[in-house]
């Protein structure tokens, strides 16, 4: 119990630190915005503390199947830190921020090809945007998208090569999927596979759909301004993190479905062997001399 509570406290502090990173590293220019971020960080830390200190989770999935959530948290932290460092370099340039800015510029221009998600994000900007804003958005989107691709590649390696969640670890479907109701109707295996395909498809399409939707809504409502550094950081982070997280969830659900299918196959095979042994024993008893 003590280990579980101490781990929950540490996770809550790390979540709050990630959310406060832009407010702590960027120059303080808007007090109201900083207060909102502090409030959101406190709420996120409280939610994490409650989820991980409880014996059974209520919302967080794959809590007992590391390193799924750790990889997603690391992806989020790297995105926020890199984008914050690049934005900080605009006001207080250092050797690190200049290197990250140069790397982000190279990555942004390399990924900014026709019909790519980065190109759509750049086209999402209002007409007449300054070249500095276009370069900032291209750099931030390129960095965030590259980090998401690396995180997904690492998770695929964990699943396909290392056999996540591990053959020696006991995997409890109810604990790791608290929002999944196995009694809702239909075969559990079919539902898991359907949810996996849906998450993967949406995760693949969202980086393309989000800029298109924002561009269409800009004719009806005022679009968000990415000139503010914190707005730019969290917008690009959400744009890259949410689709990657959905794809990773889809891959995880597909892996769980494969585990259930393999367990069923082995159970059916063992039942068939038992039936064959019983039939053989009955035949031997039938041909026993009286």
């Amino acid at each position: 119990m003590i280990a579980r509570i101490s781990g929950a406290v540490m996770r809550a502090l790390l979540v709050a630190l990630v959310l406060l990173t832009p407010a702590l590293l960027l120059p303080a220019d808007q007090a109201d915005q900083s207060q909102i971020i502090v409030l959101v960080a406190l709420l996120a830390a409280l939610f994490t503390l409650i989820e991980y200190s409880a014996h059974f989770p209520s919302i967080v999935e794959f809590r007992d199947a590391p390193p799924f959530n750790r990889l997603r948290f690391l992806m989020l932290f790297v995105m926020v830190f890199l984008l914050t460092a690049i934005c900080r370099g605009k006001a207080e340039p250092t050797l690190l921020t200049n290197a990250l800015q140069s790397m982000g510029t190279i990555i942004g221009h390399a990924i900014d090809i026709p019909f790519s998600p980065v190109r759509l994000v750049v086209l999402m900007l209002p007409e007449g945007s300054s070249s500095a804003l276009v370069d900032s958005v291209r750099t931030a989107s390129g960095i965030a998208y590259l980090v998401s691709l690396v995180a997904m590649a690492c998770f695929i390696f964990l699943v396909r090569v290392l056999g996540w969640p591990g053959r020696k670890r006991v995997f409890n479907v109810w604990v790791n999927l608290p929002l999944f109701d196995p009694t809702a109707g239909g075969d559990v295996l079919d539902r898991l596979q359907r949810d996996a395909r849906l998450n993967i498809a949406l995760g693949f399409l969202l980086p393309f759909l989000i800029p298109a939707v924002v561009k269409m809504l800009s004719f009806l409502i005022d679009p968000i301004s990415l000139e503010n550094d914190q707005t730019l950081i969290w917008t690009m982070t959400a744009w890259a993190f949410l689709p990657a997280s959905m794809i990773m969830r889809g891959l995880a659900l597909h892996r769980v479905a494969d585990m259930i299918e393999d367990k069923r196959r082995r159970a059916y095979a063992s039942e068939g062997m038992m039936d064959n042994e019983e039939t053989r024993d009955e035949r031997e008893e039938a041909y026993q001399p009286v």
Side-chain angles (χ1 to χ4, degrees), residues 125-131 133-134 227:
L125 296 174
E127 296 181 359
S129 299
S130 62
S131 59
L133 178 60
V134 173
E227 296 180 356

Side-chain angles (χ1 to χ4, degrees), residues 14 26 38 62 67 100 145 197 199 206 220-221 241 243:
L14 290 176
L26 293 177
V38 170
F62 300 103
L100 292 176
Y145 197 66
R197 298 189 190 99
N199 278 268
L206 277 181
L220 302 177
I221 58 177
F241 175 78

Side-chain angles (χ1 to χ4, degrees), residues 106-183:
I106 296 173
I107 295 173
H109 282 283
I111 305 179
D112 186 11
I113 59 178
F115 305 105
S116 68
V118 176
R119 174 64 62 87
L120 294 179
V121 170
V122 174
L123 295 177
M124 178 188 67
L125 296 174
E127 296 181 359
S129 299
S130 62
S131 59
L133 178 60
V134 173
D135 292 338
S136 298
V137 172
R138 182 187 293 112
T139 300
S141 59
I143 286 286
Y145 197 66
L146 179 63
V147 172
S148 66
L149 292 178
V150 172
M152 287 188 293
C154 293
F155 184 69
I156 293 174
F157 177 80
L158 289 173
V159 173
R160 298 299 181 183
V161 179
L162 300 182
W164 178 89
R167 300 181 183 277
K168 297 181 180 180
R169 179 184 294 270
V170 178
F171 186 84
N172 192 317
V173 178
W174 181 74
V175 173
N176 288 288
L177 296 174
L179 301 179
F180 182 79
D181 186 9
T183 62

Side-chain angles (χ1 to χ4, degrees), residues 23-94:
L24 294 175
L25 297 182
L26 293 177
D29 54 352
Q30 294 184 2
D32 296 337
Q33 192 175 21
S34 299
Q35 292 176 0
I36 294 175
I37 294 175
V38 170
L39 178 60
V40 173
L42 291 176
L43 293 176
L46 179 61
F47 169 77
T48 305
L49 178 63
I50 294 174
E51 278 291 306
Y52 278 90
S53 61
H55 189 65
F56 298 108
S58 59
I59 296 179
V60 176
E61 295 182 332
F62 300 103
R63 197 190 73 173
D64 293 337
F68 179 78
N69 289 324
R70 297 173 187 176
L71 183 59
R72 292 198 301 176
F73 174 80
L74 182 61
M75 175 177 60
L76 177 63
F77 173 75
V78 172
M79 286 182 185
V80 173
F81 178 77
L82 293 180
L83 297 184
T84 303
I86 291 175
C87 292
R88 180 182 175 88
K90 299 177 183 178
E92 301 176 4
T94 61

